[in-house]
């Protein structure tokens, strides 16, 4: 599950993040908004946790401004404590372009977050300038292959080889891979064959409000406790 922010404006209707996140980053409101999103996502994910079986993880997108705010690690730690979400159920996503444009984002901060038990994902992987050096500098858990590569899978052998190369590179660095934007059984089959670790996309579920997410999760047979 990935938490996606939408703003239901009283006059303008449903606003996608592209229309307000940039402004919130400019005027600094992204810090309180980001903390609110994190708290909401953690509270909701706490409700999703199955009584038995594998924990259900939630991924939350984080802005570079939040990282730069200085007390981000403390904020995450406090929100986890207040909401009672096990840290292993939280994944923080930061985009590749943000990582590359902000060399001041210290590996230290990322290591501190990981020592809380939270996992870190590089979002939109492959759409930056491919300066792969940051993968040596920053300890991350997941690369999220951008959906543009997943879309191309039906395009033929070269597109498949490219995804294969990303999976191989990530695995050889001890990093797992999530594919974004999986929409067809064909894409799913190829990704499974290539050893991709996680997938997300419309094939598995459309964006939905909390109540519906809980209903759908509870309807999944793999959520039932294993027969003894
Ligand atoms: Mn994301």
């Amino acid at each position: 599950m990935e938490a996606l922010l939408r703003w239901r404006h009283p006059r303008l209707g449903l606003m996608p993040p592209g229309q307000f996140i940039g402004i919130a980053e400019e005027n600094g409101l992204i810090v309180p908004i980001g903390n609110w999103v994190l708290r909401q996502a953690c509270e909701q994910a706490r409700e999703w946790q199955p009584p038995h079986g594998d924990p259900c993880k939630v991924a939350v997108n984080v802005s570079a401004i939040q990282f730069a705010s200085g007390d981000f690690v403390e904020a995450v730690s406090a929100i986890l404590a207040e909401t009672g979400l096990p840290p292993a159920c939280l994944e923080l996503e930061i985009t590749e372009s943000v990582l590359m444009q902000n060399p001041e984002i210290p590996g230290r901060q990322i290591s501190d977050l990981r020592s809380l038990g939270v996992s870190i994902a590089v979002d939109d992987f492959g759409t930056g300038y491919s300066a792969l050096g940051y993968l040596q500098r920053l300890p991350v858990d997941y690369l999220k292959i951008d959906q543009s590569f997943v879309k191309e899978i039906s395009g033929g052998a070269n597109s498949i080889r490219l995804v294969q190369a990303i999976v191989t590179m990530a695995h050889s660095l001890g990093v797992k891979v999530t594919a974004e934007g999986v929409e067809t059984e064909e894409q799913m089959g190829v990704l499974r064959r290539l050893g991709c670790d996680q997938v997300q996309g419309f094939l598995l579920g459309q964006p939905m409000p909390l109540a519906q997410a809980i209903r759908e999760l509870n309807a999944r047979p793999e959520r039932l406790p294993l027969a003894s």
Side-chain angles (χ1 to χ4, degrees):
M1 294 269 186
E2 177 173 354
L4 298 175
L5 182 62
R6 297 289 181 273
W7 180 8
R8 217 174 278 278
H9 191 280
R11 275 182 298 115
L12 304 174
L14 199 59
M15 301 229 293
Q19 284 184 21
F20 58 90
I21 292 294
I23 302 169
E25 285 183 323
E26 274 170 34
N27 64 21
L29 275 178
I30 194 69
V31 174
I33 293 175
N35 282 343
W36 178 83
V37 168
L38 192 58
R39 188 183 305 271
Q40 291 289 315
C42 289
E43 265 172 20
Q44 295 184 5
R46 183 78 193 78
E47 286 185 44
W48 298 337
Q49 295 312 312
H52 310 276
D54 290 337
C56 178
K57 215 163 58 163
V58 66
V60 180
N61 297 287
V62 175
S63 155
I65 316 278
Q66 288 173 270
F67 263 96
S69 70
D71 56 358
F72 183 61
V73 178
E74 289 78 7
V76 172
S77 169
I79 289 172
L80 284 170
E82 286 160 27
T83 58
L85 182 73
C89 297
L90 178 63
E91 181 171 305
L92 297 175
E93 297 189 1
I94 183 155
T95 62
E96 179 175 52
S97 53
V98 160
L99 282 176
M100 299 196 344
Q101 286 157 19
N102 299 271
E104 74 278 10
I105 289 180
R108 170 82 199 292
Q109 244 179 326
I110 291 185
S111 306
D112 287 350
L113 287 166
R114 291 181 80 213
S115 40
L116 293 177
V118 170
S119 52
I120 304 289
V122 178
D123 208 1
D124 304 338
F125 180 78
T127 59
Y129 298 95
S130 300
L132 295 170
Y134 72 87
L135 287 175
Q136 289 181 321
R137 184 166 59 87
L138 301 175
V140 299
D141 301 280
Y142 284 91
L143 296 186
K144 293 190 76 174
I145 303 182
D146 189 70
Q147 53 183 317
S148 56
F149 298 105
V150 175
K151 262 198 190 79
E152 288 294 317
I153 278 180
S154 354
N158 273 345
S159 348
I160 295 177
R161 280 191 205 106
L162 188 56
V163 174
Q164 180 167 30
I166 297 174
V167 174
T168 306
M169 179 197 67
H171 284 173
S172 64
L173 291 168
V175 175
K176 289 182 178 157
V177 181
T178 306
E180 293 183 311
V182 179
E183 294 183 355
T184 68
E185 290 290 352
E186 183 201 4
Q187 292 164 348
M188 182 75 147
V190 169
L191 291 164
R192 186 177 277 132
R193 184 165 58 76
L194 297 180
C196 182
D197 303 278
Q198 294 190 143
V199 290
Q200 73 179 67
F202 284 7
L203 183 68
L204 294 103
Q206 304 259 342
M208 60 184 80
L210 175 63
Q212 188 187 348
I214 291 176
R215 269 199 308 278
E216 299 219 355
L217 277 171
N218 284 333
R220 286 177 184 237
E222 65 269 23
R223 296 263 298 181
L224 296 175
L226 290 170
S228 50

